[in-house]
Amino acid sequence: MVFLQLFWVFFKIGLFGFGGGYTMVSMIRMEVVDTYGWMTAGEYADLLALSQMTPGPISINAATFVGFTQGGILGSLIATLSLCLPSVILMSFVIALFFKHKESPYVKKPMALMTPVVAGLIISAAVMMCDKESFTSVLSFVIFGVTVVAHYFFKVNPILLIVLSGIAGWLWGIYN
Amino acid sequence: MLVLKLFWEFFKIGAFTFGGGYAMISMVKTALVDKRKWLNEDEFWECITLAQSLPGVFAINMALYTGFKISGKSGSFGAMAGAALPSMIIIVLVASFIQNINGLKTVKDIFAGIRPCVIALILVPGLTMLKKAKLDRRTFWIPVLACLAVCLLGISPMYFIIAAIIGGIIWAKIVIRKS
């Protein structure tokens, strides 16, 4: 029964969730805390912190976590797969529509308008993350500046930059 | 074999993504466009536009569409599995063994370093994409407006995507009528 509920909750979120991990995470909270009462609000806040601290897309982390607490490994698999399933189903439609009619103005013109919108949305995601929690010291600004220059101008591998930033933060913590 | 390579690239990326799916854009571009040269820049940004314009997990959509472009349906499944698997493994391990990961000072310090790096890693592809959109005097306000409305007014990005799709269809109708 709980497996069916997990499937239904995360399938819905995968189908209607939109606008990046943070929006989905609040949808998950509504279902998990308010509708089903699987967790308290406090437990969900802990889960969220954990989802942000562990690697991977935040909503995948949250789904795996909720599924695991409700139904073990099988629960986590069902929750995560159900979250991805709508994307897979939608993709077959999009491929049929988009890739087959690529040269049609009905595809080209909407894409021409969607691209600048998406660029604006990605930048907004970066802007909204700029708060006191992200810029705690001089080091934060240095890391930010160095990453922009290193990645934009010198195409330094982002994984390397993340590892180096983590090490810098760790050392800074030790000496302060 | 290509499917396995795709899986592995996304697996590595999934294991190092902090701060959500947007942080993956730079990594996917570095791996698929710059290093492997499986996609050219235009194809890549097309996939990003599609991934963001559809509902669902952005990172999963991004894996599905780039994977499909590179190696068809099997490629899309390989990429998706690679993107999701590290998350699942790590969460199950952490949930089983560690009670309070965010209480550790070392973890806090490391994340204080990673956070500004992630913001930069999201900002850079956003700017690159702006350049790719080839904006002119008539269109430069589109990303500005979208960004401000989401940041300041908290309007759902969905409305902008829908407006862009409807606007694009009307634009296409006009172009077709003229020709």
Side-chain angles (χ1 to χ4, degrees):
Chain A
M1 194 55 207
V2 76
F3 294 122
L4 259 179
Q5 287 175 334
L6 281 171
F7 167 79
W8 180 236
V9 163
F10 286 101
F11 185 83
K12 262 194 304 194
I13 291 168
L15 187 59
F16 296 110
F18 194 89
Y22 292 95
T23 333
M24 293 187 121
V25 149
S26 67
M27 287 175 71
I28 297 175
R29 203 209 60 230
M30 284 203 308
E31 296 282 349
V32 168
V33 178
D34 305 338
T35 311
Y36 288 95
W38 286 333
M39 306 182 160
T40 64
E43 283 170 337
Y44 189 74
D46 286 347
L47 175 155
L48 204 60
L50 200 78
S51 302
Q52 283 169 300
M53 291 209 152
T54 47
I58 289 167
S59 43
I60 297 282
N61 290 345
T64 306
F65 203 108
V66 172
F68 186 72
T69 57
Q70 296 310 309
I73 305 257
L74 183 62
S76 70
L77 264 174
I78 288 174
T80 308
L81 289 179
S82 331
L83 185 64
C84 300
L85 190 61
S87 290
V88 174
I89 297 170
L90 276 173
M91 187 182 75
S92 19
F93 288 106
V94 172
I95 290 166
L97 268 168
F98 182 84
F99 290 106
K100 300 225 168 90
H101 302 279
K102 249 192 98 172
E103 297 307 315
S104 156
Y106 287 109
V107 170
K108 276 184 143 178
K109 297 301 179 192
M111 278 297 276
L113 288 180
M114 276 145 73
T115 304
V117 169
V118 170
L121 296 178
I122 292 172
I123 293 172
S124 78
V127 171
M128 283 193 294
M129 286 170 81
C130 294
D131 55 16
K132 270 189 215 146
E133 254 184 86
S134 302
F135 289 90
T136 46
S137 62
V138 188
L139 179 76
S140 314
F141 292 94
V142 173
I143 289 177
F144 177 81
V146 169
T147 307
V148 169
V149 172
H151 185 52
Y152 191 80
F153 293 104
F154 300 103
K155 297 205 166 181
V156 177
N157 193 315
I159 294 179
L160 180 67
L161 290 168
I162 285 194
V163 172
L164 292 177
S165 305
I167 294 172
W170 175 55
L171 293 175
W172 181 270
I174 290 176
Y175 292 105
N176 277 282
Chain B
M1 251 23 241
L2 191 55
V3 176
L4 272 181
K5 280 184 192 162
L6 257 169
F7 170 84
W8 179 235
E9 288 297 337
F10 272 94
F11 189 88
K12 278 190 289 184
I13 292 165
F16 282 94
T17 300
F18 292 95
Y22 287 132
M24 271 176 138
I25 303 173
S26 311
M27 299 187 203
V28 175
K29 182 166 173 287
T30 303
L32 306 187
V33 180
D34 302 339
K35 200 175 99 193
R36 298 281 194 173
K37 301 198 170 18
W38 284 332
L39 292 173
N40 65 38
E41 290 243 348
D42 290 339
E43 290 169 328
F44 177 76
W45 294 115
E46 204 175 272
C47 290
I48 297 299
T49 303
L50 284 175
Q52 168 69 45
S53 303
L54 291 158
V57 184
F58 174 72
I60 294 299
N61 284 341
M62 179 164 59
L64 282 173
Y65 288 99
T66 51
F68 181 82
K69 276 250 157 170
I70 293 167
S71 183
K73 282 228 162 108
S74 58
S76 67
F77 288 121
M80 178 173 75
L85 213 54
S87 283
M88 298 177 65
I89 295 169
I90 291 165
I91 286 288
V92 168
L93 286 177
V94 168
S96 314
F97 298 113
I98 304 174
Q99 292 301 320
N100 189 10
I101 190 178
N102 38 326
L104 302 169
K105 184 185 181 289
T106 311
V107 174
K108 266 188 197 148
D109 289 340
I110 292 173
F111 275 90
I114 288 179
R115 250 180 244 125
C117 174
V118 165
I119 296 177
L121 287 179
I122 295 172
L123 191 64
V124 168
L127 296 175
T128 313
M129 199 172 183
L130 267 191
K131 240 172 42 185
K132 282 279 151 192
K134 295 187 191 79
L135 299 170
D136 55 29
R137 224 181 297 162
R138 280 184 312 169
T139 49
F140 83 93
W141 54 270
I142 298 175
V144 177
L145 195 72
C147 181
L148 289 179
V150 172
C151 287
L152 299 179
L153 307 175
I155 295 173
S156 167
M158 186 172 62
Y159 297 115
F160 285 92
I161 301 286
I162 293 172
I165 294 171
I166 294 172
I169 290 170
I170 296 170
W171 185 10
K173 275 219 153 92
I174 295 169
V175 170
I176 289 168
R177 196 170 293 168
K178 271 185 185 166
S179 60

